Amino acid sequence: WATTPLQIWVAAGTYKPGTLESSSFKIPSNVTVLGGFSATETNADERNWTTNPTILSGDLDNSASSNSGDAHSIVSFLNDDNAVLDGFIIEYGYADGTAVIDRTGAGIYINNATSIRINNTIIRYNTAYGNGNDGVGGGLVSFGEATLTNCLFYENTASANGGAISSENGTINLVNSTITNNTAQKGGGVHFYGGDVEAVNSIFTQN
């Protein structure tokens, strides 16, 4: 896959990473995962992620909410390079563990990864709770390098820092994205620790 990245097509529907709180969709290096298919397409350009919502859900207890017992991190990029997630809805993660990986990044967890690209994706209703005071990055936490294009973060929560996003290390590039209605003690929209966020043509409102 190093020279020709593997492409995975995902049809409309709701998918869960497993049955355990530690379960996560782990996206490896040089893999492109595309949502928004109706299962009749013959070309990736034919998909429509609005008409064919493709949901990655951490709602393991089927409560239609994020709460204890749900997945700690729905999607994770760990020690990966050149991975792409495109055309999804990521919802109902609940990070309430004690280890860093279990109390941060309820929606998306990025660690020691570079050239991560997340496009055309909605990240919503995720909670980084921890012990009630140390949850970080409700929607996304990053200890690496990532670019998010045409993404929407809304109604994500962290008990401490970064309701939508926490940049712990490296740089997050936001392009044509919206961060709205996210909450935290510090940085309801975005929290900076040891990392940076560079935003282009993006909206931050009501955080």
Side-chain angles (χ1 to χ4, degrees):
W1 307 338
T3 56
T4 305
L6 175 67
Q7 195 173 95
I8 299 172
W9 294 9
V10 186
T14 298
Y15 303 87
K16 299 182 181 182
T19 59
L20 303 176
E21 291 176 88
S22 59
S23 299
S24 182
F25 292 105
K26 297 179 174 65
I27 314 298
S29 296
N30 301 311
V31 170
T32 295
V33 185
L34 303 176
F37 290 89
S38 66
T40 61
E41 296 86 355
T42 58
N43 188 296
D45 293 338
E46 297 172 1
R47 69 192 174 111
N48 187 318
W49 52 85
T50 302
T51 303
N52 304 308
T54 310
I55 300 170
L56 304 182
S57 173
D59 185 22
L60 303 185
D61 63 0
N62 300 310
S63 66
S65 63
S66 62
N67 50 38
S68 183
D70 289 336
H72 288 168
S73 292
I74 300 169
V75 176
S76 56
F77 299 88
L78 307 174
N79 305 302
D80 300 316
D81 300 303
N82 194 34
V84 179
L85 188 72
D86 189 322
F88 288 88
I89 297 170
I90 298 172
E91 64 183 18
Y92 298 141
Y94 194 83
D96 63 343
T98 55
V100 172
I101 194 171
D102 294 319
R103 63 176 177 83
T104 67
I108 301 171
Y109 183 90
I110 300 171
N111 190 24
N112 194 30
T114 60
S115 299
I116 303 303
R117 286 168 288 161
I118 301 168
N119 308 322
N120 307 309
T121 292
I122 297 171
I123 299 97
R124 66 186 185 188
Y125 312 144
N126 300 288
T127 301
Y129 185 78
N131 64 10
N133 296 295
D134 64 353
V136 175
L140 178 149
V141 71
S142 180
F143 301 83
E145 306 286 338
T147 298
L148 289 82
T149 303
N150 194 30
C151 291
L152 169 63
F153 287 78
Y154 77 91
E155 295 191 21
N156 300 286
T157 302
S159 63
N161 307 322
I165 295 171
S166 186
S167 182
E168 300 289 304
N169 193 16
T171 299
I172 297 172
N173 296 291
L174 286 174
V175 182
N176 299 334
S177 295
T178 297
I179 315 295
T180 184
N181 290 343
N182 304 282
T183 59
Q185 288 188 31
K186 295 181 180 178
V190 175
H191 170 253
F192 305 88
Y193 182 69
D196 300 309
V197 173
E198 297 182 1
V200 176
N201 196 32
S202 294
I203 297 170
F204 297 81
T205 182
Q206 296 181 339
N207 299 290

